[in-house]
Amino acid sequence: MKKWYWIFFVFLCFIILWILDYYGFLPKKTYTALDFQIETVLSGIDYNQNGIDDYQDILIGAKKEAKRKPKYISKYYSEGYPPENEGVCTDVIWRALREAGYDLKNLVTEDIKNNRDAYPNIINPDSNIDFRRVTNLNIYFNRNVLVLTTDISDIQSFQPGDIVVFGNEHIGILSDKRNKKGIPYLIHNAGQPRLEEDTLERWNRKKKITGHYRFSFVETK
């Protein structure tokens, strides 16, 4: 019987360690772009004129959201914006862009208004919620910003502040932290304990990256 107790104990320890690792509670060594001789890309634009490059501002905004840890609540708000202590994955995006001075709500609303055929999923436009839908953001970014590779093995193409979409169901922003493979951490909100975590590979296996964007405006398609 003692043998089975030990087997059960070892199995239980394995499960506990797996859970702790899955939710990011185990300490891990993190790396930066310099560790992989990767040059960090800057936009060369300071839209809000605060002395900080847009991409860095977007990263700072995403990290603030990770530190804030809003409670995962998905619902409609008559004013469009949820309170700062509430949010879902899409709220990470507009809050990060807000740090750089961009109003994603208005940008998406205008694009939908002027290009209805580009959004076949929308029956009745609603500016209070359209900018908080992953499908709409995927369409908007694909039309209006720099579209990049979805191959995460191309680690130098994945930069801090980049936006990634998974299967039209989830969205997040890349961190400046990287794992031992050079793959960036993901800043996102799926109701997990830590919003900045080493989970890009896991989400790619789970849903597949269907969009990878950098917030540099290009000519609308």
Side-chain angles (χ1 to χ4, degrees):
M1 291 295 293
K2 288 184 177 180
K3 177 182 177 181
W4 290 108
Y5 285 142
W6 278 110
I7 292 174
F8 176 76
F9 177 75
V10 171
F11 177 75
L12 183 61
C13 288
F14 174 80
I15 293 298
I16 292 174
L17 287 173
W18 183 87
I19 292 173
L20 291 174
D21 179 66
Y22 184 87
Y23 286 105
F25 290 117
L26 293 181
K28 285 184 178 181
K29 182 179 179 180
T30 60
Y31 302 82
T32 67
L34 288 176
D35 292 309
F36 302 92
Q37 291 78 53
I38 296 173
E39 182 180 355
T40 298
V41 175
L42 298 178
S43 72
I45 300 172
D46 179 11
Y47 184 75
N48 61 1
Q49 298 183 343
N50 67 343
I52 302 175
D53 184 84
D54 276 2
Y55 297 162
Q56 293 300 307
D57 259 338
I58 291 170
L59 175 63
I60 289 169
K63 282 181 173 285
K64 284 182 178 179
E65 181 78 346
K67 186 176 181 180
R68 188 184 299 116
K69 295 181 181 179
K71 186 176 182 181
Y72 189 91
I73 296 178
S74 177
K75 71 177 190 179
Y76 181 91
Y77 298 90
S78 59
E79 299 299 322
Y81 298 108
E84 292 292 295
N85 63 342
E86 296 180 9
V88 292
C89 64
T90 50
D91 296 311
V92 175
I93 311 305
W94 68 260
R95 284 168 176 161
L97 292 177
R98 178 183 62 184
E99 187 73 19
Y102 295 99
D103 187 335
L104 186 59
K105 179 176 181 288
N106 284 345
L107 289 172
V108 172
T109 298
E110 284 300 306
D111 199 54
I112 293 172
K113 177 183 177 181
N114 297 327
N115 304 279
R116 284 291 289 112
D117 291 343
Y119 296 84
N121 57 298
I122 297 178
I123 298 175
N124 297 307
D126 184 344
S127 62
N128 287 330
I129 193 64
D130 289 337
F131 75 110
R132 299 181 66 228
R133 300 295 194 199
V134 176
T135 299
N136 297 340
L137 292 185
N138 201 19
I139 294 172
Y140 174 80
F141 290 133
N142 191 267
R143 286 174 41 77
N144 294 286
V145 305
L146 187 61
V147 180
L148 301 166
T149 179
T150 59
D151 179 6
I152 62 173
S153 67
D154 184 6
I155 58 174
Q156 66 180 359
S157 294
F158 285 74
Q159 292 276 331
D162 284 1
I163 299 164
V164 286
V165 177
F166 304 90
N168 261 339
E169 297 176 34
H170 192 56
I171 192 169
I173 289 181
L174 299 186
S175 170
D176 55 345
K177 293 181 179 179
R178 294 176 182 261
N179 65 20
K180 61 183 179 181
K181 298 178 184 178
I183 296 173
Y185 276 41
L186 181 67
I187 302 173
H188 66 130
N189 189 353
Q192 77 277 20
R194 297 189 180 185
L195 272 61
E196 183 177 15
E197 57 177 354
D198 180 14
T199 192
L200 187 63
E201 289 178 286
R202 184 182 302 145
W203 273 93
N204 188 44
R205 289 193 299 268
K206 183 178 180 181
K207 296 292 183 181
K208 290 294 181 184
I209 296 176
T210 53
H212 173 202
Y213 308 105
R214 194 165 296 152
F215 202 76
S216 295
F217 281 106
V218 295
E219 185 178 355
T220 301
K221 297 175 182 177

